[in-house]
Amino acid sequence: MPARAERPLRVTFCPVNTAGVPWASVQALRRREVDARLVVFERYKLHPEADWSLEIPRDSPLLGRQARQWAALARLLPRTDVFHFVFGLTLVPQSLQFPLLRAAGKKSVMHYLGSDIRGKTPDQLAYGRKADTQIVGSYDATRWVPEAEVIPPGIDLARIEPAPRSERARPLIVHAPSHRGRKGTEHVIAACAELDADLELVEGLHHADAFERYRAADIVVDQLNAGWYGLFAIEAMALGKPVVTFLHDEAVRRTEEAFGTRVPIVNATKETLRDRLRTLVSSADERRRIGAASRAYVEQVHDLERTTDHLLAVYARL
């Protein structure tokens, strides 16, 4: 990126706050004296944080949506150096968004968060290559965007203390599906029914309320279909919880190689879930061992300050 005057770098994240990841990045960048903001189409129920909401729900009339989106772009162009798009979305139609930014001398990032690319064809994701760079959150996601930079989602570990050890007789297993079918919830329910443990499903809660339920867990089950873990698992590991989820072996290998640490997640499929959980249910020592390794892993891979360093390095290369 060309040298600027003494003013700070100006970054606009848009147009959604999926899983709170964009908002966390904005807050971290501000602490680094970057003029960062988050502009969203509408505030999400679970993660309503944003600096500016255009208040245009998905079901609003197309012409009205477009009018507000174009007005927002006109307002943001003179006060933005880098447009950081998330979840495969742009502020105005993709066919026009990137040519306009290039003509205006602005840089752009397309940042995928997982379900926005999973299972799509290269042709369906070709629009992302029009940005100056692409980012994905895991090595598993490079199956769809192999040329992308890998920056894992970061969380503010200074705000998350490991949870105290539980003394309950029956371990509590917590599962928080954003979509039951995609997360394999029916298999989680079936496996837990055969164990000497209690199961709590956390659904539809504001993030702050859901987080308190994660804190109470002895064991966390993330998902059984996607092949990698999400923010729920990251937060659970930060709390020192053992996490069970389905992981692709190649993504595990590349992650461990890149970060020089073991992935401590208990890998399970729908067929092996019951046995993996039974081991954890029967051994408090094993839960504590994996929980401690999980916190250390998050400090190495998902610390927001580390991921912000990486993000700033990407901006510097634009």
Side-chain angles (χ1 to χ4, degrees), residues 228-263:
W228 201 245
Y229 59 87
L231 194 67
F232 167 46
I234 296 169
E235 291 180 331
M237 287 191 286
L239 287 166
K241 309 296 183 180
V243 172
V244 182
T245 196
F246 170 54
L247 302 174
H248 286 127
D249 292 339
E250 176 62 13
V252 171
R253 183 193 66 77
R254 293 187 64 189
T255 300
E256 292 180 343
E257 184 178 86
F259 294 100
T261 187
R262 294 291 301 275
V263 177

PDB file of all heavy atoms in Angstrom, residues 228-263:
ATOM      1  N   TRP A 228     -14.101 -28.938  10.488  1.00  0.00           N
ATOM      2  CA  TRP A 228     -13.256 -28.019  11.253  1.00  0.00           C
ATOM      3  C   TRP A 228     -14.104 -27.383  12.336  1.00  0.00           C
ATOM      4  O   TRP A 228     -15.319 -27.572  12.387  1.00  0.00           O
ATOM      5  CB  TRP A 228     -12.611 -26.962  10.360  1.00  0.00           C
ATOM      6  CG  TRP A 228     -11.387 -26.347  11.001  1.00  0.00           C
ATOM      7  CD1 TRP A 228     -11.208 -25.058  11.390  1.00  0.00           C
ATOM      8  CD2 TRP A 228     -10.175 -27.038  11.347  1.00  0.00           C
ATOM      9  NE1 TRP A 228      -9.968 -24.889  11.958  1.00  0.00           N
ATOM     10  CE2 TRP A 228      -9.311 -26.095  11.945  1.00  0.00           C
ATOM     11  CE3 TRP A 228      -9.746 -28.355  11.222  1.00  0.00           C
ATOM     12  CZ2 TRP A 228      -8.049 -26.423  12.417  1.00  0.00           C
ATOM     13  CZ3 TRP A 228      -8.487 -28.696  11.683  1.00  0.00           C
ATOM     14  CH2 TRP A 228      -7.647 -27.729  12.269  1.00  0.00           C
ATOM     15  N   TYR A 229     -13.476 -26.635  13.233  1.00  0.00           N
ATOM     16  CA  TYR A 229     -14.191 -26.062  14.367  1.00  0.00           C
ATOM     17  C   TYR A 229     -14.459 -24.578  14.152  1.00  0.00           C
ATOM     18  O   TYR A 229     -13.812 -23.923  13.334  1.00  0.00           O
ATOM     19  CB  TYR A 229     -13.397 -26.273  15.657  1.00  0.00           C
ATOM     20  CG  TYR A 229     -12.007 -25.664  15.658  1.00  0.00           C
ATOM     21  CD1 TYR A 229     -11.802 -24.347  16.048  1.00  0.00           C
ATOM     22  CD2 TYR A 229     -10.892 -26.416  15.283  1.00  0.00           C
ATOM     23  CE1 TYR A 229     -10.532 -23.785  16.064  1.00  0.00           C
ATOM     24  CE2 TYR A 229      -9.621 -25.867  15.296  1.00  0.00           C
ATOM     25  CZ  TYR A 229      -9.444 -24.548  15.682  1.00  0.00           C
ATOM     26  OH  TYR A 229      -8.186 -23.992  15.685  1.00  0.00           O
ATOM     27  N   GLY A 230     -15.429 -24.065  14.906  1.00  0.00           N
ATOM     28  CA  GLY A 230     -15.808 -22.668  14.774  1.00  0.00           C
ATOM     29  C   GLY A 230     -15.584 -21.876  16.041  1.00  0.00           C
ATOM     30  O   GLY A 230     -14.902 -22.321  16.974  1.00  0.00           O
ATOM     31  N   LEU A 231     -16.185 -20.698  16.087  1.00  0.00           N
ATOM     32  CA  LEU A 231     -15.953 -19.784  17.203  1.00  0.00           C
ATOM     33  C   LEU A 231     -16.455 -20.357  18.525  1.00  0.00           C
ATOM     34  O   LEU A 231     -15.857 -20.111  19.579  1.00  0.00           O
ATOM     35  CB  LEU A 231     -16.625 -18.437  16.920  1.00  0.00           C
ATOM     36  CG  LEU A 231     -16.178 -17.298  17.832  1.00  0.00           C
ATOM     37  CD1 LEU A 231     -14.722 -16.939  17.574  1.00  0.00           C
ATOM     38  CD2 LEU A 231     -17.061 -16.074  17.643  1.00  0.00           C
ATOM     39  N   PHE A 232     -17.531 -21.111  18.487  1.00  0.00           N
ATOM     40  CA  PHE A 232     -18.030 -21.759  19.703  1.00  0.00           C
ATOM     41  C   PHE A 232     -16.940 -22.623  20.328  1.00  0.00           C
ATOM     42  O   PHE A 232     -16.670 -22.551  21.534  1.00  0.00           O
ATOM     43  CB  PHE A 232     -19.265 -22.588  19.345  1.00  0.00           C
ATOM     44  CG  PHE A 232     -19.724 -23.548  20.409  1.00  0.00           C
ATOM     45  CD1 PHE A 232     -19.829 -23.160  21.739  1.00  0.00           C
ATOM     46  CD2 PHE A 232     -20.078 -24.849  20.071  1.00  0.00           C
ATOM     47  CE1 PHE A 232     -20.267 -24.054  22.717  1.00  0.00           C
ATOM     48  CE2 PHE A 232     -20.518 -25.749  21.032  1.00  0.00           C
ATOM     49  CZ  PHE A 232     -20.605 -25.347  22.362  1.00  0.00           C
ATOM     50  N   ALA A 233     -16.280 -23.426  19.514  1.00  0.00           N
ATOM     51  CA  ALA A 233     -15.213 -24.288  20.020  1.00  0.00           C
ATOM     52  C   ALA A 233     -14.031 -23.465  20.514  1.00  0.00           C
ATOM     53  O   ALA A 233     -13.406 -23.804  21.530  1.00  0.00           O
ATOM     54  CB  ALA A 233     -14.761 -25.254  18.926  1.00  0.00           C
ATOM     55  N   ILE A 234     -13.706 -22.387  19.817  1.00  0.00           N
ATOM     56  CA  ILE A 234     -12.580 -21.539  20.223  1.00  0.00           C
ATOM     57  C   ILE A 234     -12.841 -20.937  21.602  1.00  0.00           C
ATOM     58  O   ILE A 234     -11.977 -20.949  22.488  1.00  0.00           O
ATOM     59  CB  ILE A 234     -12.341 -20.429  19.181  1.00  0.00           C
ATOM     60  CG1 ILE A 234     -11.928 -21.038  17.839  1.00  0.00           C
ATOM     61  CG2 ILE A 234     -11.268 -19.450  19.668  1.00  0.00           C
ATOM     62  CD1 ILE A 234     -11.936 -20.042  16.688  1.00  0.00           C
ATOM     63  N   GLU A 235     -14.040 -20.425  21.806  1.00  0.00           N
ATOM     64  CA  GLU A 235     -14.377 -19.839  23.103  1.00  0.00           C
ATOM     65  C   GLU A 235     -14.388 -20.899  24.199  1.00  0.00           C
ATOM     66  O   GLU A 235     -13.948 -20.643  25.327  1.00  0.00           O
ATOM     67  CB  GLU A 235     -15.722 -19.128  23.008  1.00  0.00           C
ATOM     68  CG  GLU A 235     -15.675 -17.883  22.144  1.00  0.00           C
ATOM     69  CD  GLU A 235     -17.007 -17.179  22.039  1.00  0.00           C
ATOM     70  OE1 GLU A 235     -18.055 -17.842  22.137  1.00  0.00           O
ATOM     71  OE2 GLU A 235     -17.004 -15.948  21.841  1.00  0.00           O
ATOM     72  N   ALA A 236     -14.887 -22.084  23.871  1.00  0.00           N
ATOM     73  CA  ALA A 236     -14.896 -23.165  24.861  1.00  0.00           C
ATOM     74  C   ALA A 236     -13.470 -23.553  25.245  1.00  0.00           C
ATOM     75  O   ALA A 236     -13.168 -23.767  26.428  1.00  0.00           O
ATOM     76  CB  ALA A 236     -15.653 -24.371  24.308  1.00  0.00           C
ATOM     77  N   MET A 237     -12.580 -23.640  24.272  1.00  0.00           N
ATOM     78  CA  MET A 237     -11.182 -23.957  24.573  1.00  0.00           C
ATOM     79  C   MET A 237     -10.546 -22.861  25.418  1.00  0.00           C
ATOM     80  O   MET A 237      -9.753 -23.138  26.325  1.00  0.00           O
ATOM     81  CB  MET A 237     -10.399 -24.183  23.280  1.00  0.00           C
ATOM     82  CG  MET A 237     -10.724 -25.493  22.593  1.00  0.00           C
ATOM     83  SD  MET A 237      -9.586 -25.897  21.235  1.00  0.00           S
ATOM     84  CE  MET A 237     -10.148 -24.748  19.971  1.00  0.00           C
ATOM     85  N   ALA A 238     -10.891 -21.609  25.133  1.00  0.00           N
ATOM     86  CA  ALA A 238     -10.357 -20.505  25.935  1.00  0.00           C
ATOM     87  C   ALA A 238     -10.794 -20.616  27.389  1.00  0.00           C
ATOM     88  O   ALA A 238     -10.072 -20.196  28.300  1.00  0.00           O
ATOM     89  CB  ALA A 238     -10.808 -19.169  25.352  1.00  0.00           C
ATOM     90  N   LEU A 239     -11.961 -21.188  27.607  1.00  0.00           N
ATOM     91  CA  LEU A 239     -12.461 -21.411  28.966  1.00  0.00           C
ATOM     92  C   LEU A 239     -11.835 -22.643  29.615  1.00  0.00           C
ATOM     93  O   LEU A 239     -12.126 -22.953  30.774  1.00  0.00           O
ATOM     94  CB  LEU A 239     -13.983 -21.572  28.937  1.00  0.00           C
ATOM     95  CG  LEU A 239     -14.787 -20.293  28.695  1.00  0.00           C
ATOM     96  CD1 LEU A 239     -16.228 -20.631  28.350  1.00  0.00           C
ATOM     97  CD2 LEU A 239     -14.720 -19.370  29.905  1.00  0.00           C
ATOM     98  N   GLY A 240     -10.998 -23.354  28.862  1.00  0.00           N
ATOM     99  CA  GLY A 240     -10.357 -24.546  29.398  1.00  0.00           C
ATOM    100  C   GLY A 240     -11.223 -25.784  29.333  1.00  0.00           C
ATOM    101  O   GLY A 240     -11.073 -26.698  30.153  1.00  0.00           O
ATOM    102  N   LYS A 241     -12.114 -25.837  28.341  1.00  0.00           N
ATOM    103  CA  LYS A 241     -13.011 -26.981  28.200  1.00  0.00           C
ATOM    104  C   LYS A 241     -12.474 -27.958  27.151  1.00  0.00           C
ATOM    105  O   LYS A 241     -11.948 -27.533  26.115  1.00  0.00           O
ATOM    106  CB  LYS A 241     -14.407 -26.521  27.753  1.00  0.00           C
ATOM    107  CG  LYS A 241     -15.005 -25.414  28.591  1.00  0.00           C
ATOM    108  CD  LYS A 241     -15.249 -25.835  30.027  1.00  0.00           C
ATOM    109  CE  LYS A 241     -15.911 -24.713  30.826  1.00  0.00           C
ATOM    110  NZ  LYS A 241     -16.159 -25.110  32.229  1.00  0.00           N
ATOM    111  N   PRO A 242     -12.639 -29.263  27.368  1.00  0.00           N
ATOM    112  CA  PRO A 242     -12.339 -30.213  26.302  1.00  0.00           C
ATOM    113  C   PRO A 242     -13.432 -30.134  25.239  1.00  0.00           C
ATOM    114  O   PRO A 242     -14.621 -30.110  25.561  1.00  0.00           O
ATOM    115  CB  PRO A 242     -12.354 -31.565  27.016  1.00  0.00           C
ATOM    116  CG  PRO A 242     -13.242 -31.367  28.196  1.00  0.00           C
ATOM    117  CD  PRO A 242     -13.088 -29.925  28.611  1.00  0.00           C
ATOM    118  N   VAL A 243     -13.015 -30.067  23.982  1.00  0.00           N
ATOM    119  CA  VAL A 243     -13.952 -29.918  22.870  1.00  0.00           C
ATOM    120  C   VAL A 243     -13.898 -31.158  21.996  1.00  0.00           C
ATOM    121  O   VAL A 243     -12.816 -31.662  21.669  1.00  0.00           O
ATOM    122  CB  VAL A 243     -13.617 -28.662  22.035  1.00  0.00           C
ATOM    123  CG1 VAL A 243     -14.472 -28.606  20.769  1.00  0.00           C
ATOM    124  CG2 VAL A 243     -13.824 -27.402  22.869  1.00  0.00           C
ATOM    125  N   VAL A 244     -15.075 -31.630  21.602  1.00  0.00           N
ATOM    126  CA  VAL A 244     -15.202 -32.769  20.705  1.00  0.00           C
ATOM    127  C   VAL A 244     -15.833 -32.274  19.409  1.00  0.00           C
ATOM    128  O   VAL A 244     -16.879 -31.611  19.437  1.00  0.00           O
ATOM    129  CB  VAL A 244     -16.082 -33.875  21.323  1.00  0.00           C
ATOM    130  CG1 VAL A 244     -16.163 -35.085  20.393  1.00  0.00           C
ATOM    131  CG2 VAL A 244     -15.554 -34.278  22.697  1.00  0.00           C
ATOM    132  N   THR A 245     -15.207 -32.592  18.284  1.00  0.00           N
ATOM    133  CA  THR A 245     -15.762 -32.190  16.993  1.00  0.00           C
ATOM    134  C   THR A 245     -15.134 -33.037  15.899  1.00  0.00           C
ATOM    135  O   THR A 245     -14.187 -33.787  16.141  1.00  0.00           O
ATOM    136  CB  THR A 245     -15.529 -30.686  16.733  1.00  0.00           C
ATOM    137  OG1 THR A 245     -16.374 -30.246  15.674  1.00  0.00           O
ATOM    138  CG2 THR A 245     -14.090 -30.394  16.360  1.00  0.00           C
ATOM    139  N   PHE A 246     -15.659 -32.917  14.693  1.00  0.00           N
ATOM    140  CA  PHE A 246     -15.116 -33.652  13.552  1.00  0.00           C
ATOM    141  C   PHE A 246     -14.100 -32.781  12.825  1.00  0.00           C
ATOM    142  O   PHE A 246     -14.403 -31.652  12.432  1.00  0.00           O
ATOM    143  CB  PHE A 246     -16.239 -34.060  12.597  1.00  0.00           C
ATOM    144  CG  PHE A 246     -15.748 -34.604  11.283  1.00  0.00           C
ATOM    145  CD1 PHE A 246     -14.850 -35.665  11.243  1.00  0.00           C
ATOM    146  CD2 PHE A 246     -16.178 -34.056  10.087  1.00  0.00           C
ATOM    147  CE1 PHE A 246     -14.382 -36.163  10.037  1.00  0.00           C
ATOM    148  CE2 PHE A 246     -15.726 -34.547   8.874  1.00  0.00           C
ATOM    149  CZ  PHE A 246     -14.822 -35.602   8.849  1.00  0.00           C
ATOM    150  N   LEU A 247     -12.885 -33.307  12.643  1.00  0.00           N
ATOM    151  CA  LEU A 247     -11.803 -32.579  11.990  1.00  0.00           C
ATOM    152  C   LEU A 247     -11.254 -33.383  10.819  1.00  0.00           C
ATOM    153  O   LEU A 247     -11.094 -34.605  10.915  1.00  0.00           O
ATOM    154  CB  LEU A 247     -10.657 -32.320  12.974  1.00  0.00           C
ATOM    155  CG  LEU A 247     -10.972 -31.546  14.254  1.00  0.00           C
ATOM    156  CD1 LEU A 247      -9.750 -31.535  15.162  1.00  0.00           C
ATOM    157  CD2 LEU A 247     -11.423 -30.132  13.931  1.00  0.00           C
ATOM    158  N   HIS A 248     -10.935 -32.692   9.740  1.00  0.00           N
ATOM    159  CA  HIS A 248     -10.241 -33.341   8.628  1.00  0.00           C
ATOM    160  C   HIS A 248      -8.758 -33.485   8.980  1.00  0.00           C
ATOM    161  O   HIS A 248      -8.117 -32.521   9.415  1.00  0.00           O
ATOM    162  CB  HIS A 248     -10.398 -32.520   7.348  1.00  0.00           C
ATOM    163  CG  HIS A 248     -11.763 -32.616   6.744  1.00  0.00           C
ATOM    164  ND1 HIS A 248     -12.526 -31.514   6.426  1.00  0.00           N
ATOM    165  CD2 HIS A 248     -12.518 -33.699   6.405  1.00  0.00           C
ATOM    166  CE1 HIS A 248     -13.684 -31.906   5.917  1.00  0.00           C
ATOM    167  NE2 HIS A 248     -13.701 -33.216   5.892  1.00  0.00           N
ATOM    168  N   ASP A 249      -8.221 -34.665   8.771  1.00  0.00           N
ATOM    169  CA  ASP A 249      -6.844 -34.951   9.182  1.00  0.00           C
ATOM    170  C   ASP A 249      -5.829 -34.039   8.498  1.00  0.00           C
ATOM    171  O   ASP A 249      -4.859 -33.593   9.130  1.00  0.00           O
ATOM    172  CB  ASP A 249      -6.500 -36.413   8.879  1.00  0.00           C
ATOM    173  CG  ASP A 249      -7.276 -37.386   9.760  1.00  0.00           C
ATOM    174  OD1 ASP A 249      -7.743 -36.960  10.835  1.00  0.00           O
ATOM    175  OD2 ASP A 249      -7.410 -38.562   9.370  1.00  0.00           O
ATOM    176  N   GLU A 250      -6.025 -33.750   7.221  1.00  0.00           N
ATOM    177  CA  GLU A 250      -5.058 -32.918   6.500  1.00  0.00           C
ATOM    178  C   GLU A 250      -5.039 -31.499   7.059  1.00  0.00           C
ATOM    179  O   GLU A 250      -3.975 -30.879   7.179  1.00  0.00           O
ATOM    180  CB  GLU A 250      -5.394 -32.894   5.007  1.00  0.00           C
ATOM    181  CG  GLU A 250      -4.511 -31.988   4.156  1.00  0.00           C
ATOM    182  CD  GLU A 250      -3.036 -32.392   4.146  1.00  0.00           C
ATOM    183  OE1 GLU A 250      -2.699 -33.509   4.598  1.00  0.00           O
ATOM    184  OE2 GLU A 250      -2.211 -31.574   3.684  1.00  0.00           O
ATOM    185  N   ALA A 251      -6.196 -30.976   7.420  1.00  0.00           N
ATOM    186  CA  ALA A 251      -6.247 -29.635   8.007  1.00  0.00           C
ATOM    187  C   ALA A 251      -5.564 -29.616   9.371  1.00  0.00           C
ATOM    188  O   ALA A 251      -4.892 -28.638   9.727  1.00  0.00           O
ATOM    189  CB  ALA A 251      -7.696 -29.173   8.132  1.00  0.00           C
ATOM    190  N   VAL A 252      -5.719 -30.691  10.136  1.00  0.00           N
ATOM    191  CA  VAL A 252      -5.026 -30.792  11.427  1.00  0.00           C
ATOM    192  C   VAL A 252      -3.516 -30.775  11.204  1.00  0.00           C
ATOM    193  O   VAL A 252      -2.779 -30.040  11.879  1.00  0.00           O
ATOM    194  CB  VAL A 252      -5.442 -32.076  12.170  1.00  0.00           C
ATOM    195  CG1 VAL A 252      -4.564 -32.286  13.405  1.00  0.00           C
ATOM    196  CG2 VAL A 252      -6.909 -32.003  12.575  1.00  0.00           C
ATOM    197  N   ARG A 253      -3.056 -31.564  10.246  1.00  0.00           N
ATOM    198  CA  ARG A 253      -1.617 -31.639   9.977  1.00  0.00           C
ATOM    199  C   ARG A 253      -1.057 -30.274   9.585  1.00  0.00           C
ATOM    200  O   ARG A 253      -0.021 -29.837  10.111  1.00  0.00           O
ATOM    201  CB  ARG A 253      -1.344 -32.648   8.860  1.00  0.00           C
ATOM    202  CG  ARG A 253       0.146 -32.857   8.565  1.00  0.00           C
ATOM    203  CD  ARG A 253       0.363 -33.613   7.266  1.00  0.00           C
ATOM    204  NE  ARG A 253      -0.072 -32.845   6.101  1.00  0.00           N
ATOM    205  CZ  ARG A 253       0.623 -31.842   5.569  1.00  0.00           C
ATOM    206  NH1 ARG A 253       1.781 -31.461   6.105  1.00  0.00           N
ATOM    207  NH2 ARG A 253       0.165 -31.205   4.508  1.00  0.00           N
ATOM    208  N   ARG A 254      -1.734 -29.587   8.686  1.00  0.00           N
ATOM    209  CA  ARG A 254      -1.234 -28.289   8.216  1.00  0.00           C
ATOM    210  C   ARG A 254      -1.276 -27.240   9.327  1.00  0.00           C
ATOM    211  O   ARG A 254      -0.388 -26.387   9.423  1.00  0.00           O
ATOM    212  CB  ARG A 254      -2.042 -27.823   7.008  1.00  0.00           C
ATOM    213  CG  ARG A 254      -1.851 -28.688   5.771  1.00  0.00           C
ATOM    214  CD  ARG A 254      -2.545 -28.093   4.567  1.00  0.00           C
ATOM    215  NE  ARG A 254      -1.960 -26.811   4.193  1.00  0.00           N
ATOM    216  CZ  ARG A 254      -2.483 -25.995   3.279  1.00  0.00           C
ATOM    217  NH1 ARG A 254      -3.610 -26.326   2.668  1.00  0.00           N
ATOM    218  NH2 ARG A 254      -1.899 -24.849   2.984  1.00  0.00           N
ATOM    219  N   THR A 255      -2.292 -27.302  10.166  1.00  0.00           N
ATOM    220  CA  THR A 255      -2.393 -26.354  11.275  1.00  0.00           C
ATOM    221  C   THR A 255      -1.260 -26.571  12.272  1.00  0.00           C
ATOM    222  O   THR A 255      -0.610 -25.614  12.721  1.00  0.00           O
ATOM    223  CB  THR A 255      -3.755 -26.504  11.975  1.00  0.00           C
ATOM    224  OG1 THR A 255      -4.798 -26.243  11.030  1.00  0.00           O
ATOM    225  CG2 THR A 255      -3.878 -25.543  13.150  1.00  0.00           C
ATOM    226  N   GLU A 256      -1.018 -27.813  12.626  1.00  0.00           N
ATOM    227  CA  GLU A 256       0.049 -28.114  13.580  1.00  0.00           C
ATOM    228  C   GLU A 256       1.411 -27.734  13.011  1.00  0.00           C
ATOM    229  O   GLU A 256       2.280 -27.233  13.734  1.00  0.00           O
ATOM    230  CB  GLU A 256      -0.002 -29.598  13.943  1.00  0.00           C
ATOM    231  CG  GLU A 256      -1.251 -29.957  14.743  1.00  0.00           C
ATOM    232  CD  GLU A 256      -1.333 -31.422  15.113  1.00  0.00           C
ATOM    233  OE1 GLU A 256      -0.608 -32.239  14.503  1.00  0.00           O
ATOM    234  OE2 GLU A 256      -2.126 -31.762  16.020  1.00  0.00           O
ATOM    235  N   GLU A 257       1.584 -27.928  11.729  1.00  0.00           N
ATOM    236  CA  GLU A 257       2.844 -27.562  11.081  1.00  0.00           C
ATOM    237  C   GLU A 257       3.030 -26.049  11.054  1.00  0.00           C
ATOM    238  O   GLU A 257       4.118 -25.535  11.317  1.00  0.00           O
ATOM    239  CB  GLU A 257       2.848 -28.120   9.653  1.00  0.00           C
ATOM    240  CG  GLU A 257       4.126 -27.907   8.880  1.00  0.00           C
ATOM    241  CD  GLU A 257       4.047 -28.541   7.502  1.00  0.00           C
ATOM    242  OE1 GLU A 257       3.534 -27.873   6.566  1.00  0.00           O
ATOM    243  OE2 GLU A 257       4.453 -29.702   7.354  1.00  0.00           O
ATOM    244  N   ALA A 258       1.960 -25.320  10.767  1.00  0.00           N
ATOM    245  CA  ALA A 258       2.051 -23.863  10.646  1.00  0.00           C
ATOM    246  C   ALA A 258       2.278 -23.182  11.988  1.00  0.00           C
ATOM    247  O   ALA A 258       3.020 -22.195  12.078  1.00  0.00           O
ATOM    248  CB  ALA A 258       0.783 -23.310   9.993  1.00  0.00           C
ATOM    249  N   PHE A 259       1.645 -23.695  13.043  1.00  0.00           N
ATOM    250  CA  PHE A 259       1.686 -23.009  14.332  1.00  0.00           C
ATOM    251  C   PHE A 259       2.583 -23.695  15.357  1.00  0.00           C
ATOM    252  O   PHE A 259       2.757 -23.185  16.464  1.00  0.00           O
ATOM    253  CB  PHE A 259       0.268 -22.853  14.888  1.00  0.00           C
ATOM    254  CG  PHE A 259      -0.593 -21.936  14.061  1.00  0.00           C
ATOM    255  CD1 PHE A 259      -1.506 -22.446  13.152  1.00  0.00           C
ATOM    256  CD2 PHE A 259      -0.466 -20.561  14.167  1.00  0.00           C
ATOM    257  CE1 PHE A 259      -2.290 -21.604  12.370  1.00  0.00           C
ATOM    258  CE2 PHE A 259      -1.236 -19.706  13.397  1.00  0.00           C
ATOM    259  CZ  PHE A 259      -2.150 -20.233  12.491  1.00  0.00           C
ATOM    260  N   GLY A 260       3.138 -24.829  14.997  1.00  0.00           N
ATOM    261  CA  GLY A 260       4.072 -25.500  15.887  1.00  0.00           C
ATOM    262  C   GLY A 260       3.455 -25.978  17.182  1.00  0.00           C
ATOM    263  O   GLY A 260       4.100 -25.949  18.233  1.00  0.00           O
ATOM    264  N   THR A 261       2.217 -26.432  17.124  1.00  0.00           N
ATOM    265  CA  THR A 261       1.542 -26.909  18.326  1.00  0.00           C
ATOM    266  C   THR A 261       0.527 -27.972  17.945  1.00  0.00           C
ATOM    267  O   THR A 261       0.085 -28.034  16.794  1.00  0.00           O
ATOM    268  CB  THR A 261       0.835 -25.744  19.054  1.00  0.00           C
ATOM    269  OG1 THR A 261       0.318 -26.198  20.303  1.00  0.00           O
ATOM    270  CG2 THR A 261      -0.291 -25.163  18.229  1.00  0.00           C
ATOM    271  N   ARG A 262       0.167 -28.813  18.894  1.00  0.00           N
ATOM    272  CA  ARG A 262      -0.818 -29.854  18.643  1.00  0.00           C
ATOM    273  C   ARG A 262      -2.229 -29.295  18.747  1.00  0.00           C
ATOM    274  O   ARG A 262      -2.516 -28.458  19.602  1.00  0.00           O
ATOM    275  CB  ARG A 262      -0.656 -30.991  19.661  1.00  0.00           C
ATOM    276  CG  ARG A 262       0.639 -31.759  19.561  1.00  0.00           C
ATOM    277  CD  ARG A 262       0.712 -32.587  18.295  1.00  0.00           C
ATOM    278  NE  ARG A 262      -0.385 -33.546  18.201  1.00  0.00           N
ATOM    279  CZ  ARG A 262      -0.372 -34.746  18.754  1.00  0.00           C
ATOM    280  NH1 ARG A 262       0.690 -35.153  19.451  1.00  0.00           N
ATOM    281  NH2 ARG A 262      -1.408 -35.558  18.625  1.00  0.00           N
ATOM    282  N   VAL A 263      -3.113 -29.764  17.883  1.00  0.00           N
ATOM    283  CA  VAL A 263      -4.533 -29.430  17.991  1.00  0.00           C
ATOM    284  C   VAL A 263      -5.136 -30.364  19.043  1.00  0.00           C
ATOM    285  O   VAL A 263      -5.185 -31.580  18.839  1.00  0.00           O
ATOM    286  CB  VAL A 263      -5.255 -29.604  16.642  1.00  0.00           C
ATOM    287  CG1 VAL A 263      -6.751 -29.329  16.801  1.00  0.00           C
ATOM    288  CG2 VAL A 263      -4.652 -28.677  15.583  1.00  0.00           C
TER     289      VAL A 263
END
